[in-house]
Amino acid sequence: MARTPHGAVRGRYERGIAVFRGIPYAAPPFGPLRFRPPEPPEPWAGVRDAGAFGPTVPKPPYSEAFAQYLSDPVVPGDDCLNLNVWTPEPGPGARLPVLVWLHGGALTRGSSAVPVYDGSAFARDGVVCVSVNYRLGVEGYGLFPDAPPNPGLRDQLAALLWVYESIEAFGGDPGRITLCGQSAGAISAGVLLAAPRTQGLIRRAVLQSGAPEVLDREKVRRMVRRMAARLKIPATAEAFAAVDRELLLRTQAEAGRLSSPVLGGPAFGIVVDGDLVPGDPLKALTEGAAARDAELLLGWTRDEYRLWLVPGGLLERVDRLGAVALAGAMARCHAGHDVPRGYRTLRPGAGTAEIVGQMVTDHLLRVPLHRLADARPGASYVYEFAWPSGLPGLGACHALELGFVFGTGDAPESKKLAGEDAPQELCDAMHAAWVRFVTTGDPGWAAWDARRPVRIFDDGGPGLAYGPRDAEVALWTAAPGLPEPPHTAVPRAPGAELAAAMRRLRRSVGALRR
């Protein structure tokens, strides 16, 4: 049993680990609290059972093409702003390091109940692990004239404050909190790290396949307007709150089909709000005083884009579109012709899909994470996950490293993405590095400096490389004007033809999620 500010909870011992699931950190975000910032939960009398995962937030299911690789369980109920705790030693006095996990899913899918995120291995190694549910999609990141922005991010802040105030009762040290996330969870962790209201709460941060960013407000408004047009209602929080919840989810899924990490389009995301997010978080972390002493662990997978393009045969479709797809990627990344020419020079045998995928990966992830590591006075550690999935075509794709980080590679949900026979030695090495970082601030390899050391996690065990992505990053920062190989000119499509082809391509990749 453990006591929280709102009441006592009783968990379960599972293989020597105390597990508490479904603990409310905020009130159900419905009724008068719909689209509003989180409020504290109602206190409860007696001891609340915390043996099962709590309700998950409203979200549409993955498309069939993605569901074969990614699991996303649904637990019904309104009390969805809850969290889970795995601890080896409940009760005050242990003062163990704490990892707070923010799941990915493009801010539209995912939950803390995904079995890949089981925190038992961290607890066995002396780390208190906390995983969090937060509002998603239009409920968490819709932008309305009659409601505050970023309620999903505010949920995450409320959960972080709960951890700071409550974690001693579960054996954790509130002065040793590491905020960790992957994909959209990493973006969120980076934004929170930069937020003035979190200063002093976060000791360290892990950003896996996501860099701090905010979206243009108009881009988010366009997504809301798309939904409103389909529903034939005003684009206001009041009108959206009156819509049946299941209909709202179906409409959100339909409106989001034309958006993707590869070609952009309207999407839900974090926006500058003048309050929790006063400005560009990447700029705050690289140029300001935000969390300057926090140690950072930053990284990506070698073939991030393959999870975006392989499901449903989209890789082949992008290859067939050729120049049009390349022009779309250039527009998506605001890149001139020197950039794709440089990639062709570096990868002379690559198809269009690989060039497009690597360009978008570098633009979204590697370039800003390099910039973050370069600018930080505190220690930064950089990794690349390079082990290829056993499933055809996926390579070392987005989200593949998660089973290795959590030590859950044997779970069926991890095997959906990794296949059978993931190397246990690699799993042990990667999980141990995260444990060391959360515990000491040093994952076990050289900190980032002018040599740009990157830990490569691959089949033969982890090794260290120096500047392995420097050539690609230089294409974005120096515009070197590399010589154009004879066969690599980037054709220009006529405006009307390009626009029509881009619409066809967006329809093809509509199910993609970062």
Side-chain angles (χ1 to χ4, degrees):
M1 190 180 77
R3 294 196 176 275
T4 79
H6 312 293
V9 291
R10 178 181 292 111
R12 302 286 189 275
Y13 274 99
E14 299 175 3
R15 292 167 296 184
I17 300 301
V19 186
F20 300 80
R21 295 183 174 95
I23 305 173
Y25 66 84
F30 302 106
L33 297 182
R34 192 90 177 269
F35 301 108
R36 312 304 299 181
E39 294 286 343
E42 288 290 329
W44 56 87
V47 180
R48 183 184 182 112
D49 184 70
F53 285 114
T56 51
V57 302
K59 55 186 176 173
Y62 281 115
S63 68
E64 185 177 343
F66 280 80
Q68 64 180 313
Y69 299 113
L70 302 172
S71 296
D72 198 9
V74 173
V75 181
D78 284 355
D79 206 358
C80 56
L81 297 185
N82 57 69
L83 50 75
N84 317 297
V85 181
W86 288 262
T87 176
E89 201 171 333
R95 309 289 290 186
L96 297 170
V98 181
L99 182 150
V100 177
W101 173 252
L102 302 179
H103 66 79
L107 299 179
T108 58
R109 293 172 173 84
S111 80
S112 65
V114 175
V116 179
Y117 307 148
D118 185 288
S120 298
F122 278 109
R124 283 196 300 272
D125 290 328
V127 173
V128 178
C129 182
V130 181
S131 62
V132 177
N133 282 345
Y134 56 93
R135 277 174 285 182
L136 301 169
V138 71
E139 301 274 359
Y141 297 93
L143 194 54
F144 299 102
D146 56 338
N150 300 324
L153 187 71
R154 295 171 192 275
D155 293 345
Q156 295 169 358
L157 174 62
L160 187 61
L161 290 169
W162 184 97
V163 171
Y164 187 78
E165 295 169 356
S166 309
I167 206 63
E168 279 190 82
F170 297 85
D173 182 348
R176 301 169 71 194
I177 294 173
T178 298
L179 186 60
C180 181
Q182 185 265 346
S183 193
I187 294 170
S188 302
V191 174
L192 288 173
L193 185 67
R197 290 171 61 182
T198 68
Q199 300 311 297
L201 293 179
I202 303 168
R203 181 66 189 88
R204 304 180 177 103
V206 183
L207 308 186
Q208 299 176 214
S209 301
E213 69 171 14
V214 286
L215 289 190
D216 179 75
R217 294 172 72 93
E218 182 56 28
K219 189 172 184 177
V220 181
R221 285 195 188 98
R222 290 207 321 268
M223 180 63 91
V224 173
R225 287 198 296 265
R226 273 187 183 179
M227 292 183 63
R230 289 172 180 267
L231 293 166
K232 298 181 172 55
I233 61 173
T236 64
E238 181 182 15
F240 272 62
V243 176
D244 174 79
R245 219 179 284 178
E246 291 301 318
L247 175 58
L248 198 62
L249 290 178
R250 290 196 302 272
T251 305
Q252 176 182 303
E254 292 166 2
R257 282 203 182 103
L258 300 184
S259 301
S260 80
V262 175
L263 294 179
F268 292 114
I270 300 164
V271 298
V272 171
D273 58 22
D275 173 24
L276 181 55
V277 190
D280 179 355
L282 184 60
K283 185 175 182 179
L285 289 170
T286 56
E287 300 178 14
R292 291 184 67 79
D293 295 328
E295 296 102 344
L296 302 182
L297 176 57
L298 316 168
W300 50 78
T301 69
R302 185 190 63 197
D303 308 310
E304 298 272 4
Y305 69 94
R306 287 188 169 269
L307 185 63
W308 308 334
L309 293 181
V310 167
L314 300 176
L315 195 79
E316 292 79 9
R317 297 181 199 180
V318 172
D319 271 335
R320 284 198 300 270
L321 282 164
V324 172
L326 198 55
M330 290 166 60
R332 168 80 173 94
C333 301
H334 311 289
H337 281 256
D338 278 346
V339 173
R341 286 173 184 151
Y343 278 87
R344 290 291 195 191
T345 298
L346 294 170
R347 293 176 172 80
T352 300
E354 181 180 343
I355 297 299
V356 166
Q358 292 292 0
M359 280 179 58
V360 173
T361 297
D362 290 346
H363 172 71
L364 292 177
L365 300 178
R366 294 187 184 115
V367 171
L369 291 177
H370 268 244
R371 179 182 165 196
L372 188 55
D374 282 339
R376 300 289 296 166
S380 296
Y381 301 86
V382 178
Y383 73 90
E384 176 172 296
F385 183 80
W387 179 80
S389 168
L391 301 180
L394 288 179
C397 68
H398 192 65
L400 181 60
E401 87 283 11
L402 292 172
F404 293 79
V405 168
F406 278 86
T408 53
D410 287 338
E413 294 78 9
S414 291
K415 293 180 180 180
K416 286 176 68 172
L417 195 60
E420 300 289 340
D421 302 321
Q424 187 61 46
E425 182 181 358
L426 180 59
C427 180
D428 293 343
M430 196 165 194
H431 174 72
W434 264 240
V435 170
R436 282 195 299 269
F437 179 76
V438 172
T439 303
T440 69
D442 181 350
W445 63 86
W448 189 261
D449 58 18
R451 301 171 300 163
R452 300 193 166 192
V454 177
R455 182 71 115 175
I456 308 295
F457 288 94
D458 205 344
D459 204 358
L464 200 62
Y466 291 92
R469 297 288 175 179
D470 282 2
E472 291 93 336
V473 171
L475 296 173
W476 299 91
T477 57
L482 295 176
E484 182 180 322
H487 61 289
T488 61
V490 181
R492 299 175 184 270
E497 177 188 342
L498 174 60
M502 289 280 284
R503 286 194 294 272
R504 291 196 301 273
L505 182 57
R506 281 201 176 107
R507 284 196 293 271
S508 294
V509 299
L512 298 179
R513 289 295 182 269
R514 103 177 78 166

